[in-house]
Each structure stands twice: as C-alpha cells, then as structure tokens.
Amino acid sequence: MFSIESFYYVLYTNLLKPLNINGKYFYPFGSTDVNDLIRMVYSWQGSRVMHDCVFHDQEPIFNETIDKLIVSYEFTTCKKINILANSEYSEVKRSICKQNHLLDWYYFYHGFAALAWYRDYQYFSEVEFQYTKVFMSLNRLATNDRSYRLALVSLFLEKNLLDKGVVSLHLNDQGWGDWKAELASTDTKLSPYQIEFVNKHVNQLSGSIIADTDQPRGSLSADAGPNELKFNQSALWHVVSETVFYYDKLHLTEKTFKPIVSKRPFILVAAPGNLAYLKSYGFRTFDRWIDESYDDEKDHQTRLEKIVTEVEKLCDLSPADLKKMHQEMREILEFNFNHFYGEFKTIIVRELLDNFKGIAGQWNNGRVDDRNMDLSLLDFPTIEKRLLQ
C-alpha cells in the first residue's frame, strides 16, 4: 500500500498529469485554510490553461470553505476549479457542486489513510490481549463540531459507567477552546438541556479524563504499533467518536477502522446513516448483540441516549456473559479484519477509478467546456493493478 503522504502525488501522476489537469491539496493534514493549498507540478499543453482539481477529502465540506476557494481562484491563472475531489456524501456537497459547476469526484479517502496507517497490524502474531474493561471511548477534541462528546461522557458519568470503560475527555482543545467556553458560546451546537446537563456532570470532574496521554497530538488516531494494539484491545467494545455527528453527511474517518484492525466490536457515535454507510463497503456489524437502531435516529440527544443505553446494558453483563459474547462474535471480528486487508482495498480503488471515469464522461458531455478528456491516454487496468500493489 502506498503511503498516505504520497496519496495525492500517486493520483496526480497516474490520472491527472496525463490529461493535463493540475491538482491542489491541503497541507498540513486536516487543514481547510485556502492559504495551506499546495500546488502540484504544472504540466502545460501548448499555451492552453490546464484544468484544476482541488482535493478536499480530509475534512467535511462546508459552504464557507468552498466560497473561499472559489474567491481565491479568481486571482489565479486557471480562474476556476473544475473538479472537487472529496470523501463524503451529502446534500450540501451536491448543492455546492451544482451551484459552482464542479465535477464531483468521490472516493473513500480515510479508507486509504487507514490502510496506510494500520498496515502493520496484519503482520502481528495472533496474540489476543485480554480486555480488562467493557468499553473504550476516546474523546480528544470536545468543542465546536465535537461538542457532542461532552454530552456523551456526561451520560457515562450520570450512569456511573466510567469504572467499566477506558474513557478520555480532554476539556481543553489546545488552542481551540475549552469546555466552559463551549457551553457559554452562542454558536454551540449543544441544546439548552445539554448545556445544563453537561455543566452539572463535567463540573464534578477535577480535570480532564486521561486514558492514553495527557498531550494528544492531531495524528494520534494514526498511531498503530504493538503498544497501540495492546491499548486498543484493553477494552472489548469500542464506542467510536467520529468527526461528523451534527451534520447530515456520510463521512467516516480512520477512527472507525481502529476497532476493526484490533478485532473488536464497535458502536459508531456519528451522523445518522453512517453505520449503514460502512456496511455498504462490505463490513459486518453487531445487531445480534446490541440494538443498532441508533444509526437511524435523527435527534442528536436521543441518538446519544440510545448509544449509552446499549453501553449500559453491556456493562451490566457478567464477565462470563461478556466472554461468551466475545466468542460468539469472533467470526465477524475475523471477517472484518480480513475484509479490511483484502477486498476492501480492491473496492475503494475500483470505486475511485470508476468515479473518475464518471466525471470524465460528464466533462466530455459538455459539463465543463469544449476541451475533452482523452481517456485513451490512461491505461486503467495497469493503473488499477499499480494502485492495488
């Protein structure tokens, strides 16, 4: 698997450069600041200005970011963006692409990132570290769009579940704000009820709840060595706090794949529909043992309450019942592990290439201008084989 650090260069050299398409991506990882756009090497074809593809696939897409991108392009040679490479399904994205005449090139970026970052786990020996806790819930950022994590951990506190879990909650987001400022903000996404609820329970804490480190880095979820595996397996169930919770988006990150490569069952704390979204890529989930209807719940507070209800039920089980449950689900845990390192890669590589062909077809049907993409310049079977190495 090629490194995620070379991801954009791999796509540029294999797909964009032969068609005289320039590419730009955000760096450092996770930025959406237009000043952090990195331009790839130009490839002029005569005196014609090339087309442009912007890779906005690391973070969720919002109107504000795209508006700034569009404005910034007015001062460049290319004048406009033609292709928006992205990693989400949402009405917001569809509307943005339609309004700005952008070709929508979707692929599962964080699937590629997870395959790169977690590649070593498939080579570890079949050592199963014994879990000592029922569940794990890691919450590094807890303000702004991640403020739901304050409400989640407050529910754990209310139900006295912390002793049964490996739980973290960092109350200061290192430059992004702290939990008290979040509760006081007029822009908070927490409801008045949640503000009162969080204030009641988090105020009882002496400080942040630390599970793995008191100095979490932005790339912490990418760590994947033997020590991380032992830590990941210290709890049975993973309650995964995803990036997107409040918005109507299908968007998952590498966090979701950590329990999969650690051979652990999981519950997704995400926007509605994302568990079904993951299943659409061939993964199996755990509705035999828990109620997964939380994935259909639109109300944010109710969704959290449904999730915590399932966690509470798991915490009420005896050690013998938990062991029996773990044995019963081993087939699914092994399947997901093998699927991740096997067919999943083929699925997302083919999806990326098929969707590129799709936007090329739209381009050549007049969606952009009168200059066609000459797909005969690309040997797709060879490119697919190269990307699957």
Side-chain angles (χ1 to χ4, degrees):
M1 178 68 195
F2 49 84
S3 70
I4 201 63
E5 290 77 16
S6 298
F7 180 77
Y8 301 117
Y9 189 71
V10 169
L11 297 190
Y12 172 68
T13 54
N14 280 277
L15 296 172
L16 303 185
K17 185 178 179 180
L19 300 176
N20 201 35
I21 302 172
N22 185 42
K24 289 185 178 181
Y25 63 94
F26 289 98
Y27 184 84
F29 181 86
S31 174
T32 56
D33 187 336
V34 294
N35 296 311
D36 290 336
L37 276 175
I38 303 298
R39 185 182 67 190
M40 297 184 192
V41 180
Y42 276 96
S43 171
W44 293 96
Q45 189 178 73
S47 60
R48 306 290 303 268
V49 176
M50 70 188 67
H51 307 298
D52 248 42
C53 171
V54 169
F55 292 92
H56 192 315
D57 50 11
Q58 299 171 16
E59 296 294 323
I61 292 173
F62 297 102
N63 282 296
E64 296 82 358
T65 305
I66 302 301
D67 288 345
K68 291 177 182 178
L69 273 173
I70 298 298
V71 170
S72 71
Y73 260 75
E74 293 177 0
F75 301 97
T76 67
T77 304
C78 295
K79 296 301 183 185
K80 71 183 297 290
I81 308 166
N82 304 117
I83 301 171
L84 183 65
N86 65 88
S87 190
E88 72 174 60
Y89 287 109
S90 69
E91 179 59 28
V92 168
K93 182 196 71 171
R94 191 197 67 79
S95 178
I96 285 172
C97 289
K98 182 178 180 180
Q99 180 180 347
N100 296 285
H101 307 288
L102 303 175
L103 296 176
D104 177 2
W105 182 19
Y106 166 86
Y107 49 81
F108 201 158
Y109 171 83
H110 288 279
F112 288 102
L115 281 165
W117 287 332
Y118 305 153
R119 60 186 178 273
D120 290 347
Y121 277 22
Q122 63 186 312
Y123 303 111
F124 293 166
S125 62
E126 289 295 318
V127 176
E128 177 76 21
F129 295 104
Q130 181 61 44
Y131 57 86
T132 58
K133 299 291 185 178
V134 178
F135 73 99
M136 175 176 291
S137 172
L138 304 180
N139 304 279
R140 180 174 63 86
L141 299 177
T143 60
N144 300 307
D145 289 342
R146 277 80 161 181
S147 60
Y148 76 88
R149 297 171 184 177
L150 292 168
L152 173 67
V153 176
S154 294
L155 284 167
F156 291 152
L157 288 165
E158 181 191 46
K159 298 186 179 293
N160 297 311
L161 299 180
L162 258 61
D163 289 344
K164 296 290 186 74
V166 179
V167 179
S168 71
L169 179 67
H170 294 266
L171 299 179
N172 189 319
D173 282 357
Q174 300 182 357
W176 292 94
D178 61 33
W179 74 279
K180 289 185 177 180
E182 178 63 36
L183 297 192
S185 172
T186 57
D187 295 325
T188 185
K189 291 179 174 57
L190 294 169
S191 69
Y193 167 80
Q194 287 176 317
I195 291 173
E196 182 179 352
F197 185 76
V198 169
N199 195 48
K200 173 184 176 181
H201 291 285
V202 176
N203 245 332
Q204 298 175 9
L205 299 174
S206 59
S208 295
I209 306 172
I210 307 301
D212 47 353
T213 175
D214 60 356
Q215 296 292 326
R217 309 178 313 281
S219 60
L220 192 62
S221 60
D223 290 355
N227 291 333
E228 286 75 26
L229 176 60
K230 186 174 182 180
F231 175 75
N232 294 340
Q233 291 187 336
S234 64
L236 178 56
W237 284 82
H238 282 223
V239 182
V240 181
S241 294
E242 263 294 351
T243 295
V244 174
F245 178 81
Y246 291 113
Y247 302 101
D248 188 13
K249 295 175 180 286
L250 298 181
H251 176 281
L252 293 174
T253 70
E254 74 286 343
K255 303 178 192 71
T256 289
F257 295 102
K258 245 186 180 175
I260 288 173
V261 298
S262 303
K263 298 184 180 180
R264 289 292 187 253
F266 51 85
I267 299 171
L268 292 188
V269 192
N274 273 278
L275 190 68
Y277 172 56
L278 180 68
K279 290 166 71 173
S280 74
Y281 282 92
F283 292 98
R284 296 165 64 183
T285 59
F286 305 93
D287 58 355
R288 176 181 168 187
W289 298 276
I290 63 169
D291 178 4
E292 293 183 338
S293 66
Y294 69 84
D295 190 50
D296 301 320
E297 180 56 56
K298 302 293 186 182
D299 182 83
H300 303 315
Q301 177 64 18
T302 304
R303 190 159 71 257
L304 289 176
E305 290 172 354
K306 284 189 169 185
I307 287 169
V308 173
T309 294
E310 295 309 304
V311 175
E312 186 178 25
K313 290 177 183 176
L314 294 169
C315 290
D316 285 341
L317 294 175
S318 68
D321 286 339
L322 285 171
K323 183 177 181 180
K324 181 174 180 290
M325 173 187 288
H326 189 203
Q327 291 294 333
E328 290 172 346
M329 62 177 54
R330 280 190 179 277
E331 179 187 354
I332 292 179
L333 300 177
E334 291 291 339
F335 173 86
N336 284 343
F337 181 89
N338 293 327
H339 182 68
F340 176 77
Y341 290 112
E343 186 64 21
F344 176 59
K345 182 178 179 181
T346 302
I347 291 171
I348 62 175
V349 165
R350 288 178 177 169
E351 176 183 57
L352 180 150
L353 295 177
D354 287 345
N355 288 348
F356 186 80
K357 295 174 188 175
I359 63 168
Q362 294 178 52
W363 189 313
N364 291 342
N365 286 331
R367 276 285 305 276
V368 179
D369 56 32
D370 60 351
R371 293 172 290 178
N372 284 352
M373 285 190 190
D374 185 0
L375 293 185
S376 68
L377 297 172
L378 301 178
D379 183 350
F380 281 101
T382 299
I383 295 171
E384 178 181 323
K385 183 177 179 180
R386 187 179 299 134
L387 297 185
L388 286 173
Q389 288 178 349

